[in-house]
Amino acid sequence: MKRMKTLNVICRRGLFGLLGILFLVQCSGPKKVRFEIPVDTRDKPISLQTKRKYEFKEMGVWVGNEFDGARLNGAFPLNDSTIALRFDPENTPINKSPYYAFETGSDTSKTIYFKFEYPDGFEHRYEPKRKQGGKWSIIDSVNVLSADEGIFLKLKLGSEPQIVAAQEINTSTDVEQWYMNRIVEPHDFVKLKSAGQSTMGRNLPVLELSFGEVEDKPIVVLLTRQHPPEVTGFFAFQHFLEALVGQGTLTQEFLKKYRVLAFPIMNPDGVDLGHWRHNANGVDLNRDWSKYHQQEIKNVVSYVTAASKMGGSIVLGLDFHSTYEDVFYTNVTREGTSLPNFISDWFEVLERDIPSYVVNEKPSNSTRPVSKGWFLYGQNATGITYEIGDHTPKERIAEIGTQSAIAMMEILLKGK
């Protein structure tokens, strides 16, 4: 019923207005962009985890991965109170950011230790979170034990199942519920469209924001979830977009002048499969912004290119990610681009309006085919990789996401 409602909204709000141009772009293929260091983004084999429930009857405990966003590759008992859990990536080489997500419970109340096991060369990164009773919380660090043998999690179990994960799980369904409830349905100036499908046939939604006609308006592009576990960046994207649509007069004036294309989940396959980093073809999508071997990037680039052919150049692209600390990766080249002063002006306002905030900028022109380089080399636009730290508190993420959206609108309206 929910998906039927979504499809009705898509049709009601004019999905077909762009299809003619999009068809032409996809038939000819979007223009490729050259980078100094090419990356092979052709399909690579992956290993799928086996979905199952591991039952340890003598202990009265079970562990499973039978849900979207799960990552568990094996489980076996070490003693009467300890269970080893195996977590493997979808393929290698891959970033050293092991992701895990499993569900567990017990027939009676008891304390169990879980040992986290990763392949050689990989170390524990993410602090465990727990979902119980429909709510997520960070597990107290006193229950995360580091020993010579590895990382152990001490957990009190009971009959009510709980999910433990490296990051809060936001599946493609969760993302859809958010943008429908918070962005699309409350705002008639937001149109829900689709850039096509992922490798496995999941929808690649686009939220188009504009007041009035879209022709000849400068375009701002917002991206997130190229890498599945990077949910703190997604949280910033959520607050950024909610602020963008919710500022009354400022929103209206901004969207009269600019058109926003927001892509809330770039890699739905990787997200739902519980991948560490890659898509269903075993490829890092944020290395495919040159030749577009992967369907997700090709479809998004085709959509954005088609939109720009309606008049109005792409002037700004923000790609929301997560890493170890808050950081903005920027391009050094700015003179001659569509917004040569935006970055310095934006960062100045952020430090002014966010209490005790110091911008952490790392500028360098992209040598590998990542999105911020595509915006620069392919569109002569400002491209920024907007990274939020793994452990940045949610309240701080909300503050940064909200204020950065307001600052962006104010600066672009001044024509800087």
Side-chain angles (χ1 to χ4, degrees):
M1 181 64 71
K2 184 70 175 178
R3 292 193 178 274
M4 181 63 70
K5 185 177 181 181
T6 300
L7 290 174
N8 289 337
V9 172
I10 292 176
C11 293
R12 185 173 70 246
R13 297 196 173 185
L15 169 64
F16 304 107
L18 196 62
L19 285 184
I21 297 174
L22 184 59
F23 176 77
L24 293 174
V25 172
Q26 288 181 324
C27 284
S28 60
K31 180 182 177 181
K32 296 177 181 178
V33 176
R34 185 177 178 181
F35 284 80
E36 181 181 338
I37 303 176
V39 176
D40 181 5
T41 56
R42 290 172 294 184
D43 296 0
K44 298 173 178 60
I46 65 168
S47 296
L48 292 172
Q49 59 187 318
T50 300
K51 294 283 189 167
R52 59 167 291 187
K53 187 176 184 178
Y54 300 86
E55 297 191 68
F56 305 98
K57 294 183 179 180
E58 291 185 1
M59 302 169 68
V61 173
W62 60 269
V63 183
N65 59 354
E66 297 174 311
F67 57 94
D68 283 347
R71 172 55 56 171
L72 176 64
N73 299 91
F76 53 92
L78 295 178
N79 54 50
D80 59 4
S81 64
T82 307
I83 297 172
L85 304 177
R86 178 74 181 183
F87 307 107
D88 293 320
E90 56 271 19
N91 60 359
T92 57
I94 198 167
N95 274 35
K96 294 184 178 182
S97 305
Y99 172 73
Y100 54 89
F102 60 92
E103 189 174 29
T104 186
S106 173
D107 53 7
T108 60
S109 178
K110 57 173 59 87
T111 297
I112 294 292
Y113 291 85
F114 294 99
K115 181 188 178 188
F116 288 17
E117 294 193 347
Y118 306 114
D120 290 343
F122 293 94
E123 296 180 354
H124 187 74
R125 169 176 173 177
Y126 298 109
E127 61 183 9
K129 288 85 179 171
R130 170 170 46 202
K131 184 180 183 181
Q132 194 167 28
K135 295 183 179 180
W136 285 97
S137 61
I138 298 174
I139 295 176
D140 195 313
S141 60
V142 300
N143 294 313
V144 183
L145 313 173
S146 180
D148 292 340
E149 297 84 1
I151 296 294
F152 291 81
L153 174 65
K154 179 182 178 182
L155 208 60
K156 186 174 182 180
L157 304 182
S159 58
E160 181 183 359
Q162 52 188 297
I163 290 176
V164 174
Q167 294 285 29
E168 292 187 22
I169 297 171
N170 281 265
T171 65
S172 61
T173 299
D174 297 326
V175 173
E176 180 185 356
Q177 290 175 347
W178 164 71
Y179 65 67
M180 289 301 301
N181 294 334
R182 302 282 294 179
I183 307 298
V184 177
E185 292 179 346
H187 304 102
D188 58 9
F189 55 86
V190 179
K191 293 179 174 59
L192 174 60
K193 300 190 178 182
S194 175
Q197 294 184 329
S198 67
T199 298
M200 297 181 70
R202 292 178 174 87
N203 183 41
L204 298 173
V206 190
L207 308 177
E208 286 213 23
L209 286 61
S210 178
F211 272 100
E213 298 298 322
V214 298
E215 288 78 6
D216 301 323
K217 284 184 176 179
I219 296 171
V220 174
V221 180
L222 309 177
L223 312 168
T224 194
R225 296 305 288 280
Q226 291 199 71
H227 300 145
E230 298 184 7
V231 296
T232 57
F234 172 65
F235 293 155
F237 175 95
Q238 287 180 302
H239 291 291
F240 189 99
L241 201 57
E242 289 178 12
L244 203 155
V245 301
Q247 298 303 307
T249 300
L250 177 60
T251 293
Q252 188 170 358
E253 291 303 311
F254 179 74
L255 293 179
K256 284 179 179 179
K257 184 175 180 181
Y258 290 89
R259 179 184 183 188
V260 176
L261 307 179
F263 297 84
I265 184 161
M266 292 280 293
N267 185 4
D269 295 343
V271 168
D272 288 355
L273 290 172
H275 280 186
W276 289 19
R277 188 171 181 87
H278 299 155
N279 73 342
N281 288 328
V283 173
D284 183 341
L285 292 182
N286 203 29
R287 299 296 183 272
D288 192 38
W289 290 85
S290 174
K291 297 182 179 180
Y292 324 124
H293 285 128
Q294 297 307 307
Q295 187 166 317
E296 293 86 353
I297 301 301
K298 182 178 181 180
N299 286 346
V300 168
V301 169
S302 296
Y303 191 97
V304 172
T305 302
S308 67
K309 288 183 181 296
M310 298 176 69
S313 59
I314 299 162
V315 295
L316 176 63
L318 302 179
D319 188 4
F320 292 74
H321 288 257
S322 304
T323 188
Y324 295 93
E325 59 181 356
D326 293 1
V327 59
F328 293 94
Y329 292 108
T330 60
N331 292 308
V332 174
T333 299
R334 296 171 194 180
E335 289 299 322
T337 62
S338 51
L339 297 174
N341 301 315
F342 173 79
I343 292 175
S344 57
D345 292 339
W346 194 41
F347 290 165
E348 181 181 344
V349 174
L350 294 185
E351 292 189 335
R352 182 195 71 194
D353 292 349
I354 302 175
S356 305
Y357 187 67
V358 177
V359 169
N360 179 20
E361 180 190 7
K362 293 187 178 179
S364 65
N365 284 344
S366 303
T367 57
R368 290 176 171 82
V370 299
S371 65
K372 80 177 180 75
W374 182 86
F375 286 111
L376 175 63
Y377 305 135
Q379 306 298 322
N380 198 38
T382 297
I384 301 172
T385 304
Y386 186 140
E387 301 260 12
I388 296 293
D390 293 338
H391 309 305
T392 301
K394 278 190 169 182
E395 297 78 10
R396 192 61 162 174
I397 296 174
E399 190 174 30
I400 296 169
T402 298
Q403 291 302 319
S404 59
I406 294 171
M408 180 200 73
M409 288 191 284
E410 291 176 342
I411 291 168
L412 292 185
L413 280 174
K414 290 177 181 178
K416 291 187 176 183

